[in-house]
Structures are given as C-alpha cells and as structure tokens.
Amino acid sequence: LSDVSPDGESRWFHVAPVSDIGDIGETTTSGPYLTDTTPPSDAEVSFPETTTSERIVTLTLAAAGAAEMFVSNTGHDGADGQWQDMAETLEWSLAGSGGETAVYVRFRDAAGNTADASAAITYIAGDLNCDGTAGLGDLILAFQLLVGKPAADLRCLSDTDDDGQIGMAEAVWL
C-alpha cells in the first residue's frame, strides 16, 4: 500500500494476553500508525450532451485521489460493473430501451476509501438516422436492413434490445 497517503489520523494499538481463566497479562502499546480514511474528492461523471441517439457514449470521469473506478448502469455496486483502473474517459454502453438512463460510478483510492457519482442522459432508442426522434424514417431504415438493402441514412447504432445490432427487435419496437 505504498500509494496510501496518511490523512493525519493515527491509531494506537494496545495488546495484552489473556489466560484461559481470564487473567490479563502485561499490555504492550504500539503506535502511532498513520491511516488514510479520506475518500477521493470532487467525484464526477458526465456525458458530452444531455440527449443521445447512440447507445455507446463517452463518459468523462474525475475524482481526486482515485486509483480505480466501478461503472454500472444499475447502481454504485451494480452487478453489471467491475473495478478498473482510473481513466479520464470511458466508452460506455447505455442500458435499457430508451428514456432517461443513469450511469453510476464508484471511485476508490489505494486505501479502499470510496466516493460515488452518477449522471443521467436521455437515450432515444430506435433513432437510427440521428434526427432526435424515433419515427417512420427509422422504421424504413430498419426494414431496409432486414431485407439486406444498404441503409445509407443509418447514422446511429440505436438498438432497442442492447444486442449491438439493428434488426427485427428495432422494427417491432418502432
């Protein structure tokens, strides 16, 4: 834990042996041991915009003193996240089938102290042409893809079932 920076708090330890019949022996004292109990500060997560038609977004992350981050679509300790090295940006796949979508981040320093942040974005699922709405033009694009015709106006991977592709699920949803 050489990356741990003591924050001025110290701890003393007092240890004494106890016999089987409860007699307490001589106490040995050790300390002070400096500890780090201060979590990362200024924890933030943000999106480049407030609305998107793209399922994959770039998160901007910050937390002073953080060594790792845990990113999730379901909560600060969500089952869909995992700890990873701290980074200033991260490509992230939004969950759900549209509407206001949240991303949760827990930052952790080398001593294990944590700080939480979250942000929300409006995700327009099914908006395949990136015009800000999911409508008839998007449905036509989905049908073109289903019959194997190139869809020239397909500008967003805005799938509705989180499978990473445009197909029947998007046509039915639209």
Side-chain angles (χ1 to χ4, degrees):
L1 294 179
S2 61
D3 292 335
V4 176
S5 299
D7 59 14
E9 300 240 356
S10 62
R11 303 287 188 264
W12 288 85
F13 293 91
H14 309 279
V15 180
V18 178
S19 71
D20 291 343
I21 59 172
D23 293 333
I24 298 174
E26 185 177 335
T27 300
T28 301
T29 298
S30 181
Y33 294 98
L34 296 177
T35 59
D36 177 359
T37 59
T38 303
S41 60
D42 303 320
E44 292 181 14
V45 58
S46 63
F47 296 98
E49 60 270 332
T50 58
T51 302
T52 185
S53 297
E54 294 280 352
R55 181 171 292 280
I56 307 297
V57 295
T58 301
L59 303 176
T60 301
L61 306 133
E68 296 177 298
M69 59 189 184
F70 181 94
V71 184
S72 170
N73 285 314
T74 59
H76 288 107
D77 57 359
D80 64 331
Q82 63 182 4
W83 286 104
Q84 55 191 297
D85 290 341
M86 184 65 195
E88 293 180 7
T89 60
L90 177 68
E91 296 295 308
W92 187 253
S93 179
L94 298 172
S97 59
E100 186 170 283
T101 304
V103 173
Y104 304 88
V105 182
R106 176 163 284 163
F107 298 97
R108 182 167 66 185
D109 65 14
N113 302 305
T114 61
D116 296 339
S118 61
I121 189 169
T122 301
Y123 170 49
I124 305 171
D127 181 15
L128 305 179
N129 60 10
C130 282
D131 68 356
T133 62
L136 182 59
D138 303 299
L139 180 60
I140 292 169
L141 288 172
F143 281 134
Q144 287 175 331
L145 290 170
L146 282 171
V147 298
K149 182 179 177 188
D153 289 337
L154 181 66
R155 295 189 300 266
C156 289
L157 178 56
S158 187
D159 67 297
T160 59
D161 60 351
D162 200 17
D163 67 355
Q165 53 190 330
I166 305 302
M168 185 57 76
E170 287 68 35
V172 170
W173 189 86
L174 287 162

